[in-house]
């Protein structure tokens, strides 16, 4: 039962980050590679605040403030840079945040991390956590479903295809893109917080390239503007590495094999889906 | 004296970044793709040399194996990136090269482990001038790096081959109509870029421990140099490569005794410098403002 709940929780957490990836990478064509930064920031900011004795409400507000601040940097980069440059810039943020976490050990616990992270009283057991995570993902997916039906949702889809056309309809692509970056960042931070409540331990390995390649793979696989594609992609990305459990492999090798597996899936997806991924010109 | 020593050490790192920024610039010029996999190419080449040396192969044979690995990775990169280069789909090219880089690093970690390996087991030989010193691999990095960069700039800007390359960069369709084989140009550039990246990987692993991630930080620093310098300006890239390497090194080096900043903070400093410079000059340090024509 524990394995089932853990896998389910991992799927829910992955799906929450993936909604952000879906809105930015898949639908808006915004190459935001900084989601692992937000994932780790959400976890670290809250846990560090609690470590210094702050209440849950205040910790949550500080976390939100920090997430908004870093999002603002990403938004500025989105406005100023080309899409490829944004991807590189936000990718560097992952390494920069990793450097902060590893170096500032008096606050973050350095490479050893912070053990014994307490769960809120309503989420004391893994079953309770899974239940609330499930409820949360249903709400988020419903909101995304209805958002995609609105004129802003359609404009977001249009942004990937033709930005000037979206602007000609009186919608600011800059503001819409910025809003999507903000929403994706908050969702990634929330997923990071839920993950740390599940594992009750925090160290620099919580985010990084593994999370990034997972998120990007979901972003590419969930190419269609449908919630069902997003769920399918998140489920696929969560379950595929479970195949490795069938083999008796050393634990040091499993992590690298997972990355290799995701890399192969991503390359195959990009090559086979490129007809769908690249914007088509209708005449 | 302490300042000059830090400056000398920083020059070595700056030249390593520069040596990776130049192939990134060349690949971007002909394909409009940021090739993130070049960092992993550097690591793979260095591991090939390590494999040869630890199995008691002669040095020439080990270097030959390293060259073959660099060229093989160039071939794989070409096979994966060429469809996107032809479609001018630079974003999915970037993603493919990112996946290739991470996959290659994971493969190296599986084959060789993640612990640091050393190409030279004894104490590194040094050149000494009074109190100043530099390791011999570091000195060779600076000399060869500067020479190769000057050669690359001259090749791109002053030779017929450079004109061919720039014509493919500007408009591959027009270049094709003039019987220039754009795909072949891209393949040759990728091979040259992989060899250059491999050289950087080997020189870096002579100075520090060899790990699968050795090229990743370096390639990201090189990207910062490329973005800060301006993707269309090789001179700007050269200047930015030294700025993004020297400033964090100097800040970390000179902070000892005041705040004791550890070397791990360097990547954060690079990020802050990149943020400031990119917001100030989003098109690059030396790029002139142009009137947009639609």
């Amino acid at each position: 039962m524990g394995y089932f709940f853990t896998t389910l929780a991992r799927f829910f957490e992955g799906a929450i980050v993936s909604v952000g990836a879906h809105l930015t990478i898949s639908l808006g064509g915004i190459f935001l590679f900084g989601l692992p930064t937000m994932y780790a920031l959400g976890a670290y900011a809250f846990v560090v605040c609690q470590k210094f004795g702050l209440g849950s409400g205040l910790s949550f507000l500080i976390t939100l403030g920090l997430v908004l601040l870093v999002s603002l940097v990403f938004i500025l980069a989105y406005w100023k840079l080309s899409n490829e440059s944004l991807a590189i810039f936000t990718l560097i943020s992952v390494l920069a945040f990793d450097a902060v976490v590893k170096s500032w050990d008096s606050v973050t616990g350095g490479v050893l991390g912070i053990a014994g992270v307490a769960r809120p009283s309503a989420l004391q057991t893994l079953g309770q956590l899974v239940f609330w995570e499930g409820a949360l993902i249903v709400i988020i997916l419903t909101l995304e479903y209805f958002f995609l039906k609105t004129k802003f949702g359609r404009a977001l889809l249009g942004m990937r295809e033709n930005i000037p056309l979206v602007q000609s309809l009186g919608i600011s692509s800059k503001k819409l893109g910025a809003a999507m970056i903000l929403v994706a960042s908050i969702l990634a931070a929330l997923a990071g917080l839920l993950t740390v409540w599940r594992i009750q331990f925090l160290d620099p390995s919580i985010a990084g390239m593994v999370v990034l390649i997972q998120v990007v793979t979901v972003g590419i696989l969930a190419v269609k503007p449908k919630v069902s594609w997003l769920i399918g992609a998140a489920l696929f990305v969560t379950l595929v590495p479970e195949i490795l459990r069938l083999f008796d492999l050393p634990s040091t090798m499993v992590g690298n094999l997972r990355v290799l597996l995701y890399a192969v899936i991503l390359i195959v997806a990009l090559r086979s889906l490129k007809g769908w991924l690249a914007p088509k010109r209708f005449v | 004296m302490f300042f000059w020593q830090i400056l000398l050490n920083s020059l070595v790192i700056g030249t390593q970044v520069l040596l990776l920024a130049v192939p990134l610039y060349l690949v971007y010029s002909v394909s409009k793709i940021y090739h993130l996999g070049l960092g992993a190419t550097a690591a793979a080449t260095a591991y090939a040399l390590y494999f040869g040396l630890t199995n008691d192969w002669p040095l020439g044979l080990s270097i030959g194996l390293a060259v073959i690995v660099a060229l093989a990775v160039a071939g794989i990169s070409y096979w994966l990136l060429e469809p996107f280069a032809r479609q001018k789909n630079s974003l999915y090219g970037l993603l493919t090269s990112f996946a290739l880089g991470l996959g290659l690093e994971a493969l190296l970690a599986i084959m060789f482990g993640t612990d640091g390996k050393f190409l030279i087991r004894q104490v590194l030989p040094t050149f000494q001038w009074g109190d100043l010193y530099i390791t011999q691999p570091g000195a060779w990095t600076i000399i060869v790096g500067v020479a190769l960069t000057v050669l690359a700039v001259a090749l791109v800007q002053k030779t017929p081959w450079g004109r061919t390359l720039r014509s493919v960069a500007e408009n591959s369709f027009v270049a094709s109509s003039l019987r220039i084989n754009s795909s072949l140009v891209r393949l040759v550039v990728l091979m040259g870029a992989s060899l250059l990246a491999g050289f950087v990987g080997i020189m870096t692993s002579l100075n520090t421990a060899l790990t699968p991630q050795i090229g990743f930080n370096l390639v990201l620093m090189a990207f910062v140099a490329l973005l800060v310098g301006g993707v269309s300006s090789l001179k700007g890239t050269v200047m930015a490569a030294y700025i993004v390497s020297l400033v964090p090194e100097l800040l970390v080096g000179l902070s000892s005794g005041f705040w004791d900043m550890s070397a791990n903070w360097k990547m954060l400093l690079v990020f802050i410098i990149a943020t400031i410079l990119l917001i100030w000059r989003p098109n690059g340090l030396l790029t002139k403002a142009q009137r947009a024509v639609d």
Side-chain angles (χ1 to χ4, degrees), chain B residues 41 66 118 128 134 174 252 274:
Chain B
T41 309
F118 294 92
Q128 196 102 23
I134 185 169
V174 176
V252 170

Side-chain angles (χ1 to χ4, degrees), chain A residues 76-147:
Chain A
L76 267 177
Y78 169 66
W79 285 346
K80 294 265 182 182
L81 303 177
S82 70
N83 218 355
E84 301 103 311
S85 303
L86 174 75
I88 301 291
F89 179 80
T90 51
L91 182 61
I92 296 163
S93 78
V94 181
L95 296 188
F97 190 79
D98 190 60
V100 173
V101 166
K102 282 180 181 163
S103 310
W104 205 4
D105 46 4
S106 57
V107 173
T108 61
V111 286
L112 297 174
I114 302 168
V117 177
R119 286 179 187 156
S121 52
L123 307 172
Q124 281 303 310
T125 65
L126 189 59
Q128 285 173 323
L129 185 71
V130 170
F131 174 78
W132 286 110
E133 281 187 5
L136 193 63
I137 192 67
V138 168
I139 293 168
I140 291 170
L141 289 175
T142 310
L143 287 175
E144 194 200 1
Y145 176 81
F146 285 112
F147 169 73

Side-chain angles (χ1 to χ4, degrees), chain B residues 229-267:
Chain B
V231 287
S232 58
S233 162
L234 195 51
K235 284 179 195 161
T237 305
V238 173
M239 199 172 128
Y242 283 109
I243 289 175
V244 297
S245 317
L246 288 176
V247 175
E249 289 288 332
L250 285 174
L251 282 173
V252 170
L254 296 175
S255 73
S256 61
F258 300 103
W259 316 293
D260 275 336
M261 236 184 223
S262 78
N264 284 333
W265 287 96
K266 269 186 261 177
M267 196 42 90

Side-chain angles (χ1 to χ4, degrees), chain B:
Chain B
M1 192 55 69
F2 184 55
F3 171 81
W4 292 109
Q5 185 59 57
I6 294 169
L7 195 68
L8 202 57
N9 295 344
S10 311
L11 271 177
V12 177
I13 297 167
T15 311
Q16 287 168 351
V17 172
L18 175 65
L19 268 174
L20 262 182
V22 171
L24 284 174
Y25 165 81
L26 292 174
V27 174
Y28 181 81
S29 294
V30 293
S31 62
K32 295 283 175 264
I33 289 173
Y34 288 130
H35 187 14
L36 268 171
L38 275 180
T41 309
T45 312
Y47 268 105
L49 184 68
Y50 169 80
F51 177 81
L53 292 176
T54 48
N55 284 292
D56 295 328
W57 291 13
L59 183 64
L61 199 61
S62 304
I63 292 173
L65 177 70
V67 169
I68 290 168
V69 168
L71 292 177
V73 178
I76 295 168
S77 305
Y78 173 77
W79 177 64
L80 290 174
L81 300 179
E82 182 58 16
F84 299 109
R86 276 190 192 168
Q87 290 174 353
K88 308 257 178 222
N89 194 343
S90 51
L91 283 173
Y92 296 110
L94 168 81
L95 271 182
T96 305
S97 75
F98 169 68
L100 172 70
L102 278 190
L104 204 55
E105 278 179 7
L107 194 65
L108 289 172
I110 292 164
M111 286 168 70
F112 295 97
T114 49
D115 56 319
K117 308 275 191 285
F118 294 92
L119 288 180
I120 298 178
R121 290 188 185 276
Q122 65 266 39
V123 178
L124 286 175
T126 55
F127 292 119
Q128 196 102 23
W129 300 279
D131 289 340
L132 284 179
Y133 73 92
I134 185 169
T135 62
Q136 284 188 16
W140 282 114
T141 304
I142 295 176
I143 294 164
V144 179
V146 171
L148 283 175
T149 306
V150 171
L151 189 72
V153 174
L155 210 66
V156 171
Q157 293 186 345
K158 306 281 181 196
T159 63
W161 188 83
R163 278 195 289 278
T164 307
L165 192 145
R166 278 184 286 147
S167 70
V168 173
E170 285 293 320
N171 193 329
S172 59
F173 298 117
V174 176
S176 299
S177 74
L178 296 171
R179 292 194 177 180
I180 293 170
N181 188 341
S182 303
S183 295
L184 186 66
V185 171
R186 282 193 284 268
L187 177 63
V188 171
V189 166
L190 262 176
M191 284 177 158
S194 290
L195 286 174
L196 215 50
F199 174 75
V200 179
I202 290 169
M203 294 315 274
T204 310
S205 50
L206 283 173
N207 275 306
T208 54
L210 173 61
T211 60
Q213 287 82 29
I214 196 167
F216 198 70
N217 281 11
L218 219 54
V219 86
L220 283 183
M221 295 257 289
F223 267 118
V224 173
L226 196 65
L227 298 181
V228 169
V231 287
S232 58
S233 162
L234 195 51
K235 284 179 195 161
T237 305
V238 173
M239 199 172 128
Y242 283 109
I243 289 175
V244 297
S245 317
L246 288 176
V247 175
E249 289 288 332
L250 285 174
L251 282 173
V252 170
L254 296 175
S255 73
S256 61
F258 300 103
W259 316 293
D260 275 336
M261 236 184 223
S262 78
N264 284 333
W265 287 96
K266 269 186 261 177
M267 196 42 90
L268 177 70
L269 294 171
V270 170
F271 181 69
I272 293 169
I273 293 165
T275 307
I276 294 167
L277 290 178
L278 287 173
I279 287 170
W280 174 50
R281 304 273 304 191
N283 295 321
L285 285 175
L286 299 182
T287 311
K288 288 176 187 162
Q290 288 180 338
R291 186 178 293 172
V293 180
D294 265 324

Side-chain angles (χ1 to χ4, degrees), chain A residues 55-78:
Chain A
S56 295
L58 191 58
S59 303
F60 196 77
L61 280 178
I62 291 172
T63 306
L64 190 65
L66 284 172
V67 169
L68 294 179
L69 195 70
V70 181
S71 307
L72 196 68
V73 176
F74 287 168
I75 289 169
L76 267 177
Y78 169 66

Side-chain angles (χ1 to χ4, degrees), chain A residues 146-199:
Chain A
F146 285 112
F147 169 73
L148 292 178
K149 304 278 179 201
T150 63
K151 79 167 183 179
F152 293 108
R154 290 184 193 285
L156 183 67
L157 290 173
M159 267 173 62
R160 200 179 72 178
E161 309 272 331
N162 193 335
I163 288 180
L165 187 67
V166 172
Q167 288 167 340
S168 74
L169 294 171
I171 291 169
S172 165
S173 60
K174 270 188 165 185
K175 284 181 188 168
L176 188 59
M180 289 308 108
I181 289 175
L182 199 65
V183 170
S185 300
I186 291 170
L187 289 176
L190 185 63
L193 182 58
L194 290 169
T195 304
V196 80
W197 277 341
R198 175 170 56 81
I199 57 177

Side-chain angles (χ1 to χ4, degrees), chain A residues 21-61:
Chain A
H22 196 222
L23 291 172
T24 50
I25 298 170
S26 314
L27 305 183
I30 303 163
F31 272 61
L32 182 69
F33 277 15
L35 290 178
T37 309
M38 294 306 190
Y39 188 85
L41 180 65
Y44 265 103
F46 192 86
V47 171
V48 166
C49 285
Q50 296 243 295
K51 184 182 150 187
F52 285 100
L54 300 181
S56 295
L58 191 58
S59 303
F60 196 77
L61 280 178

